[in-house]
Amino acid sequence: MRNVVIIGSGCAGNTAAIYTARANLRPLVVTGHESGGQLALTTLVENFPGFPEGIQGPELVDNMKRQAEHFGAEYMHGNVLDTDFSARPFRVNVEGEWVEARTVIIASGASARWLGLESEQKYKGYGVSACATCDGFFFRDKEVVVIGGGDSAMEEALFLTRFATKVTLIHRREQFRASKIMLDRARKHEKIRFLTNTVVEEVHDVLKKEVTGLKLRNMKTGEVCDYPTSALFLGIGHIPNTAPFAGQLETDVDGYLKTRDYVFTAVPGVFASGDVSDRRYRQAISAAGTGCMAAIEVERYLEEQGR
């Protein structure tokens, strides 16, 4: 029987592990299919407090993990396949093995939607990004591309105008899902250019090991061309990792866990933190903050239960 099982090992999960371990609760952290979360897929992180020169994403999450282990946290590699929150103790299925827990912190994050190109995956962190807030600064005075047709894409494009000389927004259709106010704002911006009925087929350049351009195809004419750019930003949304909790916890229309007072789910003793319930900020520091909140609430819950 575990006092607390933490599902996820990104900033939220590792912070929750540090706090619950220091409270002598000996947490079990299930790393998940993306060990280290989104930060493990990034390169230089410059906006996390305490690192004047920045720090590599994988190094930051590894430091958090080692800090949690120093206080007694235990890490278990594997994916959570299923959960049962219908009775106490709670049950968590990790790769076929059921683990029982008095409390659970869900910090399973949200995975960025990608185009599915092999070349796209090669350039993650080297010009291909799903977070303009995280990486836009690196492309000051350069031309960049944003993919998408919803509010996320408009927000990314508008944010990038702070740094880039030109932002090209590419969408596969003529119609946009974005709200009228966001679409109008993007269309009126002098730095933003729209390319509709267009898809990306390839990211260049393998030899330089950085993004230098894109191979584009017009969906109507079939015309193919090379389009120079220094970066490719994906603005096609995120997929919250909530499949193991289906039917047990309330979600919004896009699958993000619904919480009240920041981290409380509808099931007493089950808490949510980080990007799995945060569709607005999705930052390392905000994830760490809610990880701390969830850990403190776990400690209070167990005290109330006489544990």
Side-chain angles (χ1 to χ4, degrees), residues 193-211:
R193 177 198 178 195
F194 283 76
L195 270 182
T196 57
N197 296 311
T198 302
V199 294
V200 177
E201 293 198 330
E202 201 70 49
V203 184
H204 305 306
D205 178 354
V206 173
L207 294 178
K208 293 187 177 181
K209 295 184 179 179
E210 63 181 24
V211 174

Side-chain angles (χ1 to χ4, degrees), residues 2-201:
R2 299 280 181 167
N3 284 316
V4 57
V5 168
I6 299 170
I7 302 172
S9 56
C11 278
N14 282 325
T15 302
I18 291 168
Y19 273 77
T20 52
R22 287 191 74 246
N24 203 31
L25 296 179
R26 301 193 64 81
L28 174 67
V29 183
V30 183
T31 59
H33 71 284
E34 289 181 350
S35 182
Q38 293 295 302
L39 270 190
L41 305 176
T42 65
T43 51
L44 186 65
V45 177
E46 292 189 319
N47 56 2
F48 198 92
F51 301 94
E53 306 300 323
I55 184 172
Q56 294 294 312
E59 182 183 1
L60 177 58
V61 289
D62 186 61
N63 285 347
M64 291 180 174
K65 176 178 179 287
R66 290 191 291 112
Q67 186 175 358
E69 288 176 325
H70 174 73
F71 291 114
E74 180 184 343
Y75 281 73
M76 183 178 188
H77 294 285
N79 297 325
V80 172
L81 305 180
D82 196 6
T83 54
D84 183 0
F85 300 146
S86 63
R88 270 68 171 176
F90 300 128
R91 300 171 71 230
V92 177
N93 187 321
V94 184
E95 302 287 356
E97 177 185 346
W98 286 97
V99 178
E100 294 186 340
R102 296 184 175 94
T103 62
V104 173
I105 295 176
I106 300 171
S108 49
S111 301
R113 295 181 189 271
W114 301 96
L115 297 176
L117 304 174
E118 184 179 346
S119 55
E120 167 195 54
Q121 300 303 306
K122 290 180 180 178
Y123 292 114
K124 278 185 184 178
Y126 298 94
V128 174
S129 171
C131 180
T133 308
C134 309
D135 301 323
F137 175 82
F138 299 114
F139 300 96
R140 184 180 294 276
D141 299 327
K142 295 184 179 181
E143 297 183 2
V144 302
V145 164
V146 173
I147 306 294
D151 279 352
S152 293
M154 303 305 144
E155 290 171 5
E156 298 279 277
L158 288 163
F159 178 83
L160 288 165
T161 59
R162 303 180 188 184
F163 310 104
T165 55
K166 183 174 78 171
V167 178
T168 302
L169 202 152
I170 297 176
H171 185 43
R172 59 184 176 176
R173 302 187 183 94
E174 287 186 12
Q175 293 77 31
F176 292 86
R177 292 180 293 102
S179 59
K180 185 179 185 302
I181 187 171
M182 292 300 298
L183 184 57
D184 288 347
R185 193 175 298 170
R187 280 177 166 160
K188 290 176 182 177
H189 202 290
E190 61 181 8
K191 284 189 177 182
I192 298 178
R193 177 198 178 195
F194 283 76
L195 270 182
T196 57
N197 296 311
T198 302
V199 294
V200 177
E201 293 198 330

